[in-house]
Amino acid sequence: MAERAIEAVVLDVYGTLFGFGRLVERARAIVGDLPLLDHWRTKQLEQSFLRTILGEYVDFWTVTEEALDAVCAQLELELMPEEREHLLHGWLELDPFPEVSGALELLRERGLRLAVLSNGSPAMLESLLQHAELDALFEVVLSADAVRRYKPSPAVYALVPAALVVPPERILFCSANGFDVAGALRFGFQVCWVNRGNTKLDALGKQPHFTVHSLLELVEYL
Amino acid sequence: MAERAIEAVVLDVYGTLFGFGRLVERARAIVGDLPLLDHWRTKQLEQSFLRTILGEYVDFWTVTEEALDAVCAQLELELMPEEREHLLHGWLELDPFPEVSGALELLRERGLRLAVLSNGSPAMLESLLQHAELDALFEVVLSADAVRRYKPSPAVYALVPAALVVPPERILFCSANGFDVAGALRFGFQVCWVNRGNTKLDALGKQPHFTVHSLLELVEYL
């Protein structure tokens, strides 16, 4: 890899910088072994895709609420209002993966510009990054909300070169999510798949430029 | 309901006219109790959504192939070439639900025009409808392929009033799939949810005009 080619590293948030462990715990305390979070996350993504296709945007907090309610209806699960609130607010208090803070510091020391690009609403991202004390590390925090559609819409990825004034091929986009890898590759970024779960990638037939298991591995490449 | 308002009944195919029972059997004969078809169908829909958002169309046969391969990779399942073929060809030889043929005949006797609107490719739909001997019942068989994107894109639903030369509010669109009900409602059809599984509908916050458990129930309404 030509080291000087990359000027900026842009990262996805949910599943990439932040794990869902705390949400899993909250869900388990309320509903036991039922895999509520798996269903919720799947539904949240499905609804974000569908709303993008329908052209009927609501912000990601609303998507997250509606997805929880839809999943609870399908599972015939009645949450108390305070349980529902507790679960929803879990999205604002997720824990970053353990290496994230250190890895980001190292990337910055190498002169790389750092940014975030997420489906999360600006308020969700602000809460989350402040809570984890990561907000100061990023030059810019970009939300799909600015274009009122969700990843993998090309319009979302287009926010990055516009905000950084850097062409896509000099940007390394990092995500743990297959659909996000798929979208970022098609947009023309260099792409790193963060394979946190040791799973098989489904990026609709395309391969990322890099695959790592943690962001510290990425530091070694750059 | 004002009876004369409806001039045409337009039906979704997979899950609405045709069940997956035969595919479930084929999958069980090959992989046992693993719920391969559930994963496959979920992946097939997800990839159709993602390709629509990405603007990177491939036809539904290709989507169906790619979804099977992606799911097998994720499940670490290696199919023999003839097993893979056998599963794929199952999509061309599904059985219609038992009441379908009779219910459609009754709708035609009432003077209603009948059509199909499906994500399936023209070749898939032709094989399927001929195999089930239902092809003569429909005035027109419309495929999302004509606009190179998938439901619930409004462009797909727009094929119907264009082909029938009937305004959307005089068309009753029937589907068992929540995302399809969601899209059809937003497009302005009258919509009937065919709740074949006795489940909860997720149509992203909107309610259909009718809910039935089989198409024979629909005949009673019209």
Side-chain angles (χ1 to χ4, degrees):
Chain A
M1 177 181 178
E3 286 184 27
R4 285 170 308 176
I6 301 288
E7 295 182 26
V9 177
V10 180
L11 301 114
D12 171 54
V13 169
Y14 303 113
T16 303
L17 293 177
F18 291 83
F20 297 114
R22 187 171 292 224
L23 264 175
V24 171
E25 283 167 30
R26 287 189 185 195
R28 186 176 294 136
I30 294 170
V31 301
D33 286 337
L34 193 71
L36 177 63
L37 184 66
D38 289 350
H39 286 99
W40 187 7
R41 171 69 170 159
T42 300
K43 179 61 83 177
Q44 178 198 50
L45 290 175
E46 181 194 295
Q47 294 201 345
S48 73
F49 301 152
L50 292 174
R51 286 194 172 278
T52 298
I53 296 170
L54 292 165
E56 192 181 88
Y57 181 80
V58 296
D59 80 12
F60 204 60
W61 183 254
T62 306
V63 168
T64 303
E65 284 187 308
E66 291 181 353
L68 178 58
D69 294 340
V71 160
C72 286
Q74 289 177 334
L75 297 172
E76 299 192 344
L77 190 67
E78 284 191 35
L79 298 178
M80 310 277 287
E82 60 272 22
E83 292 173 334
R84 182 176 177 279
E85 273 315 286
H86 185 60
L87 287 172
L88 282 168
H89 279 82
W91 287 88
L92 309 180
E93 296 166 10
L94 299 170
D95 293 316
F97 288 101
E99 92 287 4
V100 163
S101 172
L104 294 176
E105 296 274 10
L106 287 168
L107 291 171
R108 285 238 302 191
E109 282 172 19
R110 302 198 178 191
L112 290 157
R113 299 168 67 189
L114 299 183
V116 149
L117 177 70
S118 171
N119 276 343
S121 69
M124 289 172 83
L125 296 175
E126 190 184 345
S127 290
L128 187 63
L129 294 172
Q130 280 184 1
H131 182 263
E133 297 179 2
L134 291 177
D135 46 328
L137 286 168
F138 297 105
E139 185 177 324
V140 60
V141 174
L142 299 167
S143 165
D145 189 71
V147 292
R148 297 179 66 80
R149 65 203 80 181
Y150 290 108
K151 297 178 187 175
S153 169
V156 178
Y157 300 104
L159 289 168
V160 178
L164 297 180
V165 197
V166 171
E169 63 271 19
R170 293 193 167 234
I171 292 168
L172 180 65
F173 187 85
C174 304
S175 181
N177 296 296
F179 70 89
D180 201 12
V181 170
L185 282 168
R186 280 148 175 98
F187 187 75
F189 292 129
Q190 294 203 45
V191 178
C192 176
W193 177 40
V194 187
N195 179 12
R196 294 202 176 269
N198 216 11
T199 55
K200 289 285 192 303
L201 178 67
D202 175 19
L204 290 96
K206 297 234 191 289
Q207 291 303 316
H209 303 81
F210 306 96
T211 297
V212 298
H213 292 87
S214 89
L215 295 181
L216 274 180
E217 265 182 70
L218 180 63
V219 175
E220 292 165 27
Y221 281 121
L222 291 174
Chain B
M1 175 179 179
E3 287 185 27
R4 286 170 307 174
I6 302 289
E7 295 182 24
V9 177
V10 179
L11 301 114
D12 171 54
V13 169
Y14 302 114
T16 303
L17 293 178
F18 291 82
F20 297 114
R22 188 171 292 222
L23 265 175
V24 171
E25 282 167 32
R26 288 189 184 195
R28 185 176 295 135
I30 295 170
V31 301
D33 285 337
L34 193 71
L36 177 63
L37 183 67
D38 289 350
H39 286 100
W40 187 9
R41 171 68 172 161
T42 299
K43 179 63 83 180
Q44 178 198 49
L45 289 175
E46 182 194 293
Q47 294 201 346
S48 73
F49 301 152
L50 292 174
R51 286 194 172 277
T52 298
I53 296 170
L54 292 165
E56 193 181 86
Y57 181 81
V58 295
D59 80 11
F60 204 60
W61 183 256
T62 306
V63 168
T64 303
E65 283 187 308
E66 291 182 354
L68 178 59
D69 294 340
V71 159
C72 286
Q74 290 178 334
L75 296 172
E76 300 192 345
L77 191 67
E78 284 191 35
L79 298 178
M80 311 279 284
E82 60 273 22
E83 291 173 335
R84 182 176 177 278
E85 273 315 286
H86 185 60
L87 287 172
L88 282 168
H89 279 82
W91 286 88
L92 309 179
E93 296 167 9
L94 299 171
D95 293 314
F97 288 102
E99 92 286 6
V100 162
S101 172
L104 293 177
E105 296 274 12
L106 286 169
L107 291 171
R108 287 237 302 193
E109 283 172 18
R110 299 196 181 193
L112 291 158
R113 299 168 65 189
L114 299 184
V116 149
L117 177 70
S118 171
N119 277 342
S121 69
M124 289 172 82
L125 296 175
E126 191 184 344
S127 290
L128 188 63
L129 293 172
Q130 280 183 1
H131 182 265
E133 298 179 1
L134 291 177
D135 47 326
L137 286 168
F138 297 105
E139 184 177 326
V140 61
V141 174
L142 299 167
S143 164
D145 189 72
V147 292
R148 297 179 64 80
R149 64 204 78 181
Y150 290 108
K151 300 178 186 178
S153 169
V156 179
Y157 299 106
L159 290 167
V160 179
L164 297 180
V165 197
V166 172
E169 64 272 20
R170 294 195 167 231
I171 293 168
L172 180 65
F173 187 85
C174 304
S175 181
N177 296 295
F179 71 88
D180 201 12
V181 170
L185 283 167
R186 279 147 176 98
F187 186 75
F189 292 129
Q190 294 203 45
V191 179
C192 177
W193 177 40
V194 186
N195 179 13
R196 294 202 176 269
N198 216 9
T199 55
K200 289 285 193 301
L201 178 67
D202 176 17
L204 290 97
K206 297 232 191 291
Q207 291 304 315
H209 302 81
F210 306 96
T211 297
V212 298
H213 292 86
S214 91
L215 294 181
L216 274 180
E217 266 182 69
L218 181 64
V219 175
E220 292 165 25
Y221 280 121
L222 291 174

